Amino acid sequence: MPRPSRRVLVAAFTAVTAGSLAFAVPTTAAPRTAVAAKATQAGSAAKPTIVLVHGAWADASSWNPVMSRLQRAGYTVYAPPNPLRGVASDAETVADFVATIPGPVVLVGHSYGGMVITNAATSLPNVKALVYDDAYIPAQNETVFQINAAEPGSCVNVDPSAFLNLVPYPGAASGDADAYLKTAPNGVYQGFDSCFANGVPSDQASLLAAGQRPFAVSAGSDPSGAPAWKTLPSWAVVGTHDHVIPPAEQLAMAQRAGSHIVKVPAGHLSLITRPDTVTDTVIAAARATG
């Protein structure tokens, strides 16, 4: 007997009275676009929900400084896990989550999360704005590796053996692996602190290095699909000291997308080191949806 799809399983959970849960497996599941459209109609006058998507070598906790500020400002905020397995599959995972949210949504991506939101939002009518924080803003068919090489200066555009620890994972395609950033400097590689976490206090950077989420190597060569920024307003926070995505490339992508650009003197983790600026930018996008 074939396994039911993830959408069917999600649709199977139905709440009942008396505080219990009943499970029923329907024969079909409503299309994602229909779910999102219904949610939009139900909550069109509501304050938009903010969905924060983390990037590679990070997890949802990297958004905590921004998330707490948004919550204090009265926003409902979610930071679901990004699987970091591939652009199309990661985008579908995020899109399935966002489709369950009633009312308008502002979708925010950091770093590789920008690839994900660019692809996820194309099928979601309740997404009203995109915010990119030190992020990839890809055009169709562009890849992470291609963007990293577009301008000089990326600390992750060097020999992979210099900066990556590769670890096998179950079910990986031949030649694929989980990639972790090396902590210590190694030749041309500056080390985790200087490459990925410049500007972050060293004790906090050490915690980030220890708890990093791996990125499937194959995801770096996955081509992006049709970009949602062609039809949605977007904002871009550009860290002028970013060592992962060169600031010149961030600016070029943001200008191509017609984004509202906010420059901040920060490295790749401005969501941690400059949370006020990132939060203010997200709120500006949210207010523009009204």
Side-chain angles (χ1 to χ4, degrees), residues 124-265:
L124 295 167
N126 61 333
V127 173
K128 302 303 180 184
L130 303 170
V131 180
Y132 296 92
D133 178 31
D134 298 312
Y136 299 93
I137 312 176
Q140 189 162 5
N141 294 322
E142 286 184 341
T143 71
V144 166
F145 293 156
Q146 178 184 352
I147 293 170
N148 285 345
E151 294 282 348
S154 172
C155 62
V156 296
N157 187 38
V158 296
D159 179 356
S161 65
F163 74 98
L164 293 177
N165 289 321
L166 300 181
V167 178
Y169 68 88
S174 177
D176 201 12
D178 269 342
Y180 293 82
L181 286 177
K182 291 183 177 180
T183 302
N186 183 25
V188 294
Y189 173 59
Q190 306 159 328
F192 186 93
D193 288 18
S194 295
C195 173
F196 186 75
N198 59 309
V200 177
S202 59
D203 56 347
Q204 187 176 7
S206 295
L207 293 175
L208 293 172
Q212 60 181 290
R213 287 276 309 280
F215 175 68
V217 173
S218 59
S221 57
D222 274 358
S224 184
W229 50 255
K230 283 199 170 183
T231 57
L232 290 172
S234 62
W235 281 253
V237 177
V238 174
T240 57
H241 306 317
D242 196 324
H243 294 166
V244 176
I245 310 174
E249 181 59 21
Q250 288 189 48
L251 286 169
M253 291 187 291
Q255 290 163 353
R256 178 179 64 186
S259 303
H260 304 274
I261 296 172
V262 178
K263 295 181 183 179
V264 61

Side-chain angles (χ1 to χ4, degrees), residues 57-77:
W57 305 306
D59 61 22
S61 67
S62 62
W63 283 112
N64 283 353
V66 172
M67 195 167 2
S68 62
R69 286 164 171 78
L70 289 170
Q71 288 175 337
R72 287 198 297 268
Y75 289 91
T76 298
V77 189

Side-chain angles (χ1 to χ4, degrees), residues 11-26:
F13 288 83
T14 56
V16 295
T17 57
S20 61
L21 287 174
F23 302 87
V25 179

